[in-house]
Amino acid sequence: MEGSDDIPSIKEIWSALQLLAHPGTGVVTQDEGGYRVTTDYENGVKLVRSLGDVVQLLTEEENS
């Protein structure tokens, strides 16, 4: 959604947070206060871009 004027739905945000909080990605952690970023911006962007095909495939499947 980088550079997009589209506002993500709550479901899309929730799904993204679950993916980013997964131990395999480790970009965010969840605690009683909510979600916390565990990496810097550049590393986060690189990781999310590397998952592009996975994220796109899940979005397409949900819309079917």
Side-chain angles (χ1 to χ4, degrees):
M1 285 186 209
E2 183 178 5
S4 173
D5 290 332
D6 295 336
I7 298 172
S9 68
I10 292 173
K11 182 178 178 182
E12 290 171 321
I13 293 170
W14 180 252
S15 294
L17 284 171
Q18 287 180 319
L19 173 65
L20 297 174
H22 188 277
T25 56
V27 176
V28 298
T29 58
Q30 184 180 15
D31 59 23
E32 63 277 350
Y35 289 92
R36 307 273 182 234
V37 176
T38 59
T39 190
D40 63 26
Y41 178 80
E42 290 81 17
N43 286 333
V45 169
K46 286 179 188 176
L47 176 67
V48 170
R49 285 185 177 157
S50 74
L51 297 172
D53 292 340
V54 172
V55 173
Q56 186 64 35
L57 289 173
L58 290 175
T59 302
E60 289 173 359
E61 289 175 9
E62 288 177 358
N63 291 330
S64 299

